[in-house]
Amino acid sequence: MAEEKSAAPKKEKKPKAPKPEGAAPAAGAPAPEGAAPEASPKGEAAAAPAAPKEMIGGVAKQPTAEDLLKEEMGTIKVRKAKGSKNVTSGYVNVLASFNNTIVSITDLKGQVIAWSSAGKCNFRGSRKSTAYAAQVIAQDAARNAMSHGLKDVVIRVSGPGLGRDSAIRALQAIGLEVTSIVDVTPIPHNGCRPRKRRRV
C-alpha cells in the first residue's frame, strides 16, 4: 500500500511538472505576447535574407545559370588562354551536320576563343549526332568563352542536323544573352551539278 501511495504521489507530481510549464505562460500572460514576437523575429530574421529576394521579383528568386557558374568561372579565369581576353560580345558558329555537331565561339574579328565538338565531349558513333550531344557541346564551349568575359552573342546556325535547336537553347540557359539568330546554311542556286542520288 505504501508503494501504491508513493507511486500515486509520483504520478501526481508528474502532472505538477506541466504546471510549471503552464505557470510560465500564466506568469507570462504578457510573456506569450513577448514569446510570439520572440519567435516571429527569429523566423523573420531567418526569412529576412529571403524577403528582399521575393521583393525583387515578386516571387522567390531562384538562382540563375550565371549564379551557379560564378564559382566555376572563377576557377576557369585562372587558366590563361591564347588570343584575346575580356571579350564581351562575339559570334557562336553552330555546325550541325547529320553525323556531328561543332560549336565554335569567336570575337567580333573572327578569332576563335572557344570551341567544342561531340568527339571532344566523349560522344562516339551514332550518339555524336543527337540533340543531347549538341546541348552538352554548347555548354562546354560557352563555359570556356564566358571565362574570357563573354556576355552577349550572335548565333550563326549552319546545317540540317538535330543539334540546331538544342544548342541554341543550351546557350540561352547557361546565361549568355542572345541578340540574334541567323541561319547561314549554304543554299545552291543551281551553280554546281548535284551529287548523285544517295542509295540507302
Side-chain angles (χ1 to χ4, degrees):
M1 297 291 293
E3 292 176 359
E4 291 176 1
K5 289 177 182 178
S6 60
K10 287 180 183 177
K11 289 179 182 177
E12 290 174 2
K13 288 178 183 177
K14 287 180 182 177
K16 287 178 183 177
K19 284 181 183 178
E21 294 173 1
E33 296 173 0
E38 286 173 5
S40 63
K42 289 176 184 176
E44 290 172 4
K53 293 180 182 177
E54 292 179 0
M55 295 299 292
I56 291 171
V59 184
K61 185 180 178 183
Q62 296 182 355
T64 60
E66 291 184 17
D67 298 335
L68 297 174
L69 287 172
K70 278 181 182 176
E71 296 179 1
E72 294 180 12
M73 287 173 58
T75 55
I76 291 173
K77 282 183 182 177
V78 175
R79 185 178 62 188
K80 294 183 180 179
K82 289 184 181 179
S84 59
K85 293 183 181 180
N86 299 325
V87 179
T88 56
S89 59
Y91 295 102
V92 178
N93 299 300
V94 180
L95 174 61
S97 66
F98 288 118
N99 299 321
N100 200 353
T101 304
I102 301 172
V103 175
S104 59
I105 302 176
T106 68
D107 59 6
L108 297 177
K109 294 180 181 178
Q111 298 175 347
V112 176
I113 58 175
W115 68 275
S116 186
S117 67
K120 183 181 177 184
C121 295
N122 295 324
F123 289 97
R124 298 287 182 267
S126 59
R127 300 173 72 188
K128 293 169 69 174
S129 58
T130 60
Y132 174 70
Q135 178 182 351
V136 174
I137 293 160
Q139 289 178 352
D140 181 36
R143 283 193 190 96
N144 293 333
M146 288 170 73
S147 67
H148 294 285
L150 189 71
K151 292 180 181 177
D152 52 315
V153 294
V154 175
I155 299 179
R156 295 172 174 169
V157 186
S158 174
L162 297 174
R164 292 166 61 97
D165 298 336
S166 58
I168 295 170
R169 288 178 186 148
L171 291 168
Q172 288 176 334
I174 205 167
L176 289 174
E177 184 180 350
V178 179
T179 56
S180 64
I181 302 170
V182 184
D183 188 358
V184 293
T185 305
I187 300 172
H189 296 277
N190 291 335
C192 301
R193 181 183 177 186
R195 300 176 65 180
K196 58 184 178 181
R197 189 176 177 183
R198 189 176 171 209
R199 291 190 290 265
V200 181

